[in-house]
Amino acid sequence: MKRILSLTLLPVAFVLFACGSEAPEAGPGGAAPGTGEPPSPMGGGSAPDFSAAGLAYDLPPGWNRVPPESPMRMDQATIPGEGGSAEMAVFFFGPGSGGGVQENLDRWAAQVRSSAPPAQESFETGGMRVTWMDVSGTLLPSSMGMGPATEQPNSRMFAAVVEGDGGPWFFKITGPAPTLAGERDAFVAMLRSVRRAGTGV
């Protein structure tokens, strides 16, 4: 009986380890990320169908959409540049799920050792509230199995939480600082393009 119970718990332990600190934490309105399987927006084609997640946005020119590496991600893209590729991941865990805005931004900021606090701004667009941050420094390895295996100096992170009916949605970009140096405006433009899936710009 003990052997059967141990085997049953192994997949659960693996999921908890794999989730790590990449994704937002559970909020009062929903289940913890990783306890269910979020919708896969990629379908069978190269352009994802965001109708299940309820949000759409315009990917900046030059950013390359790729199939999400994890079912926790609703979208993923790579950003080429002189310092090497940066990566964007977008998360959605269901209405009301994923934790509060500031707690997620603070937790993500703590993954970068920086000599200066993150720059943070908020704005409203399309009936939604967007809060985003920008921090540079050394990207730290995670003890939970996500992120780089070793410290990555001269890195940068853009991250945002989009609040609105059916949300929240979470955006996170990490990569070499030289690659992301010219992408801040593109990131903000993408955030300003957010809208409910199925509507126009």
Side-chain angles (χ1 to χ4, degrees):
M1 182 65 177
K2 289 183 178 179
R3 180 176 178 81
I4 294 174
L5 181 60
S6 298
L7 291 173
T8 303
L9 290 175
L10 280 175
V12 176
F14 175 79
V15 169
L16 291 174
F17 176 81
C19 290
S21 58
E22 176 189 39
E25 298 170 353
T35 58
E37 185 171 328
S40 174
M42 291 302 294
S46 58
D49 173 11
F50 292 120
S51 59
L55 188 75
Y57 45 87
D58 301 326
L59 201 67
W63 295 22
N64 303 311
R65 180 167 277 129
V66 296
E69 295 175 355
S70 163
M72 299 176 69
R73 301 180 178 192
M74 81 175 218
D75 195 15
Q76 185 171 324
T78 59
I79 305 167
E82 61 180 80
S85 290
E87 180 182 85
M88 179 187 78
V90 184
F91 306 91
F92 174 68
F93 302 104
S97 297
V101 174
Q102 199 59 50
E103 67 180 298
N104 278 293
L105 293 178
D106 288 346
R107 181 170 53 82
W108 279 334
Q111 296 170 13
V112 179
R113 186 170 62 238
S114 178
S115 59
Q120 183 171 317
E121 297 181 13
S122 296
F123 59 85
E124 294 192 6
T125 181
M128 300 179 183
R129 182 169 180 80
V130 178
T131 304
W132 67 278
M133 72 168 194
D134 174 6
V135 60
S136 298
T138 298
L139 186 63
L140 302 174
S142 169
S143 60
M144 298 296 289
M146 294 301 241
T150 59
E151 293 187 358
Q152 300 295 311
N154 200 23
S155 293
R156 195 165 181 176
M157 177 191 293
F158 302 142
V161 182
V162 177
E163 302 172 272
D165 291 341
W169 301 267
F170 305 87
F171 292 72
K172 182 182 179 185
I173 295 175
T174 56
T179 296
L180 293 178
E183 300 294 346
R184 177 172 168 151
D185 289 348
F187 176 64
V188 175
M190 179 183 66
L191 294 176
R192 289 193 178 278
S193 76
V194 297
R195 57 195 180 273
R196 294 308 303 261
T199 64
V201 176

